[in-house]
Amino acid sequence: MTGKTVLVVGDSWSASIGRGMSEVAAARNTVVNAGLGGCGILLPVGEETPQACRRWPSQWPSYVEKYRPDAILLTVGFWDVTPQRLAGEHTASDLTAPAHEKAFRDRLNQAITLLTRRHTPLFLMTSHQVGNPTYHSSALVMNRVLRTAAATRPGVRLLDLRGQLCNDAGCPRVLAGTEVYDPTAHPTKPARARLANWALDAMFAKGGV
C-alpha cells in the first residue's frame, strides 16, 4: 500500500485507530486523523459537549474536499452508545430510546451523505461496547443501524470491530497474548497497530479500493 490517503473521523476510538494507521503506514501514505475524544454524531446539548464536537457537519465535508481521501473511516461506537441529552430533552437517554435511535439514524445518514459526496468508499466500524454490560443494549441498537446503512447505502461498508476484540468467552483484556486496553480503555499500541492493519487491509487489499 503506497500513495493512499485515509481520512479518519469520529470519536476517541477513531482517533486511536487513526494513530495506529499513522504508526504502521504513514511512511508511504497519508493519514488525516480527525477523530476527537468525547465526540460523536448525535450533537447533544449541554456544556459537557465541546463546541468542536458540534462542527462535524461543516468540518467533515471540508476535509473531504481538501484531502480528497481514497477511503474514509467513521467510528462512533464508543461515544454515541452512552446516555446523552438531545435538544428539547430534560434527561439523558441512550439509543434504546426510540427517539434516540431515530436521531442516530438520521445523523448517520447525514454523515454518510457528506462523507461520500465525492463517491469515496466509507467504512463504518461496529461498536465493541456490546461486550460492556452498561452499554450492551445501546450498542446492539447502534450496530443494527450501522448494518442497515452498510447494506443500503452505496459505497458504505461495515468493519466488525467487535469481532476483532472479542471471542466466544467475551471481550477479554488480553487477546492472543496481547494486552488490548490501556488505562483509558482505548487500544494499547500493539492492539491499535493490529486494528489499523486490519482496517487498512479491508480498505486497500486486492479487490478493495
Side-chain angles (χ1 to χ4, degrees):
M1 175 182 141
T2 302
K4 299 294 187 180
T5 297
V6 179
L7 172 62
V8 179
V9 295
D11 60 17
S12 57
W13 261 73
S14 204
S16 183
I17 294 171
R19 183 180 176 188
M21 288 180 173
S22 293
E23 291 165 347
V24 303
R28 294 184 296 175
N29 302 276
T30 300
V31 178
V32 181
N33 190 355
L36 290 174
C39 295
I41 58 174
L42 274 174
L43 301 179
V45 298
E47 295 181 357
E48 67 276 8
T49 303
Q51 284 299 314
C53 297
R54 306 181 192 279
R55 300 190 187 114
W56 67 260
S58 59
Q59 284 188 328
W60 292 358
S62 71
Y63 297 150
V64 172
E65 292 301 318
K66 179 178 180 179
Y67 297 105
R68 301 186 175 231
D70 298 289
I72 301 172
L73 175 67
L74 170 60
T75 306
V76 291
F78 188 74
W79 189 255
D80 275 340
V81 298
T82 64
Q84 301 183 55
R85 185 168 61 89
L86 303 183
E89 296 181 338
H90 298 291
T91 58
S93 299
D94 63 20
L95 298 184
T96 60
H100 280 235
E101 177 182 346
K102 181 182 184 303
F104 179 75
R105 182 183 297 107
D106 290 346
R107 291 299 185 189
L108 178 64
N109 281 321
Q110 179 185 9
I112 290 171
T113 298
L114 294 174
L115 292 170
T116 61
R117 60 194 299 171
R118 293 182 53 82
H119 307 290
T120 307
L122 173 63
F123 294 80
L124 307 176
M125 276 192 177
T126 60
S127 176
H128 69 291
Q129 293 287 67
V130 291
N132 183 332
T134 302
Y135 304 122
H136 172 79
S137 297
S138 185
L140 286 177
V141 174
M142 173 179 284
N143 288 346
R144 172 165 48 79
V145 173
L146 292 171
R147 282 194 298 270
T148 299
T152 58
R153 296 294 300 268
V156 178
R157 307 176 195 180
L158 194 68
L159 297 178
D160 183 15
L161 179 61
R162 181 183 183 277
Q164 292 293 311
L165 296 172
C166 307
N167 55 31
D168 291 342
C171 302
R173 296 196 64 83
V174 178
L175 190 62
T178 298
E179 193 79 27
V180 178
Y181 303 102
D182 67 16
T184 70
H186 293 82
T188 60
K189 184 174 182 178
R192 68 175 178 254
R194 182 173 68 82
L195 293 172
N197 280 316
W198 159 68
L200 291 169
D201 284 347
M203 292 174 176
F204 300 113
K206 185 176 181 180
V209 177

